Amino acid sequence: AVAGEEALYDSFVKKLRQDLPLPSTRYTFQHATQKKASVGEVVVEIETPQEDFKKTIVSGPNGFDFPLHEVPEGRLRLTLISEGFDEVQFDVFHILKDVRPH
């Protein structure tokens, strides 16, 4: 019965994810900047679709570590804001593998 429960859980998670990628533990920024232009800090906002949770990270120009244990599981929207660049938004589906029901 355990295998059946796990399959049920997997299909439940798959349905929730709706093909959203899992977040990476580390995001590295690739910048297309004009010559002599530089990127300062990047503000990363992580929030739930219901906007009942929001975490803001201020990162350097190279990238940031995704705060796996500081954000809720489920669907999250990441917004990257940097002066002189268009705002970038993308959705991920966060789930901690080690909290799966056994």
Side-chain angles (χ1 to χ4, degrees):
V2 174
E5 282 174 26
E6 193 161 301
L8 199 67
Y9 180 74
D10 286 345
S11 68
F12 168 72
V13 167
K14 200 170 270 181
K15 191 174 176 183
L16 272 178
R17 274 183 70 178
Q18 296 172 334
D19 297 330
L20 288 174
L22 291 168
S24 300
T25 51
R26 172 85 186 155
Y27 285 92
T28 304
F29 301 135
Q30 293 180 320
H31 304 290
T33 56
Q34 298 167 350
K35 282 182 184 163
K36 296 185 186 154
S38 66
V39 180
E41 57 188 38
V42 178
V43 175
V44 181
E45 292 177 350
I46 303 171
E47 59 192 332
T48 55
Q50 303 80 19
E51 296 181 6
D52 53 2
F53 172 87
K54 184 172 186 174
K55 179 170 183 65
T56 303
I57 300 168
V58 178
S59 88
N62 300 320
F64 69 98
D65 293 315
F66 188 83
L68 293 171
H69 297 281
E70 297 169 35
V71 296
E73 290 190 289
R75 190 181 188 130
L76 297 170
R77 168 154 290 167
L78 277 69
T79 306
L80 309 181
I81 304 155
S82 184
E83 203 175 308
F85 289 85
D86 291 339
E87 198 173 277
V88 177
Q89 278 194 332
F90 58 97
D91 292 347
V92 296
F93 188 88
H94 174 45
I95 185 159
L96 290 168
K97 294 283 189 215
D98 55 357
V99 297
R100 292 168 59 111
H102 297 296

